Amino acid sequence: MTQLKLTYFDFHGGRAEPARLGGVAFEDYRFAYPEFAEVRKTTPFGQVPTLQVDGVQVTQCDAINRYVGKLAGLYPTNAYQALLCDEVMYVVEEASVKLGPTFRLTGDAQKEARLALVNGSMPVYLGWLQSQLLAHGGEYFADNRLTVADLKVFVDVRGLNSGRLDHVPTDLVERVAPALNLHLQRIAQTPAVAQYYAKFDVK
Ligand SMILES: N[C@@H](CCC(=O)N[C@@H](CS)C(=O)NCC(=O)O)C(=O)O
């Protein structure tokens, strides 16, 4: 059997979380933030996540999420449905790329940068995600079933609602795209996701 080792921060969110939620057996190498300086020396771009597949290190979160999705049966086999799934994942990733630099800021500079996103690109991408969801029946983003696109949006919305992101109001999603919160509640109740978080005693 292929041996998988996923390396990422020890928190319930971020770029590797959809792969963690896929339900595929893997070694979950979680590390605390202070260890990142050492971990990043072992990765080609100084970034995480990485996935080792039988000892071969692979980068890029959505390549990893898609691969795990294929192993788990959570990625469409139909080319058009796969396109819809990928589109959603890229939109969430683009939003993450905009948010990324704000983690390196502090104080007023961080506040200004985050509020610019809250009042700019964030409602645009949340609104688009909501319209995609509703256009495809309101339950799933693609293929009329759970896919890695649902897991990626679930993780993103969960992060935005969490209060972990200073200056991002915890009611932003509810105000601009409430259907995404209903989606979040449904995905949280799917057996693979509920069982995964139960292991960590996360509500
Ligand atoms: N394109 C990469 C981006 C990975 C990335 O930016 N990861 C963040 C953590 S979520 C990181 O390692 N940041 C440190 C840095 O870029 O210096 C991917 O899709 O995995």
Side-chain angles (χ1 to χ4, degrees):
M1 206 180 114
T2 307
Q3 298 297 309
L4 303 178
K5 177 180 176 182
L6 185 63
T7 298
Y8 197 63
F9 298 108
D10 184 15
F11 84 108
H12 298 298
R15 286 183 161 100
E17 191 77 348
R20 286 173 172 160
L21 295 174
V24 161
F26 67 102
E27 181 187 343
D28 193 9
Y29 182 70
R30 313 170 75 93
F31 61 89
Y33 191 74
E35 293 170 53
F36 184 41
E38 281 306 306
V39 171
R40 70 191 308 172
K41 288 180 192 163
T42 68
T43 76
F45 306 115
Q47 295 178 328
V48 288
T50 62
L51 181 71
Q52 282 185 31
V53 183
D54 285 338
V56 176
Q57 189 182 52
V58 178
T59 65
Q60 306 308 318
C61 64
D62 282 340
I64 293 168
N65 292 331
R66 221 167 273 127
Y67 172 67
V68 170
K70 287 172 188 168
L71 296 180
L74 297 176
Y75 189 76
T77 51
N78 173 277
Y80 178 63
Q81 295 303 325
L83 171 67
L84 296 179
C85 183
D86 288 350
E87 184 187 24
V88 165
M89 294 179 84
Y90 276 116
V91 168
V92 175
E93 191 52 30
E94 199 160 290
S96 301
V97 167
K98 287 193 165 73
L99 187 63
T102 70
F103 285 96
R104 289 189 279 274
L105 303 174
T106 53
D108 285 348
Q110 187 185 64
K111 183 174 180 181
E112 195 182 322
R114 292 248 167 111
L115 289 182
L117 297 177
V118 166
N119 297 313
S121 61
M122 279 184 179
V124 174
Y125 92 80
L126 288 169
W128 181 87
L129 286 170
Q130 173 168 266
S131 65
Q132 281 300 102
L133 182 66
L134 297 178
H136 294 100
E139 208 165 337
Y140 300 112
F141 281 95
D143 221 14
N144 290 315
R145 65 188 181 96
L146 185 72
T147 68
V148 278
D150 296 292
L151 298 180
K152 181 115 180 159
V153 175
F154 166 81
V155 171
D156 187 56
V157 169
R158 201 163 180 271
L160 292 173
N161 288 346
S162 69
R164 274 199 314 264
L165 295 170
D166 289 344
H167 316 298
V168 176
T170 54
D171 66 349
L172 176 69
V173 175
E174 190 59 28
R175 280 193 281 115
V176 305
L180 296 182
N181 273 339
L182 297 175
H183 173 263
L184 171 113
Q185 286 161 22
R186 273 196 312 277
I187 301 304
Q189 285 163 13
T190 60
V193 173
Q195 282 160 21
Y196 176 83
Y197 286 123
K199 282 193 301 193
F200 294 94
D201 205 18
V202 172
K203 304 287 182 279

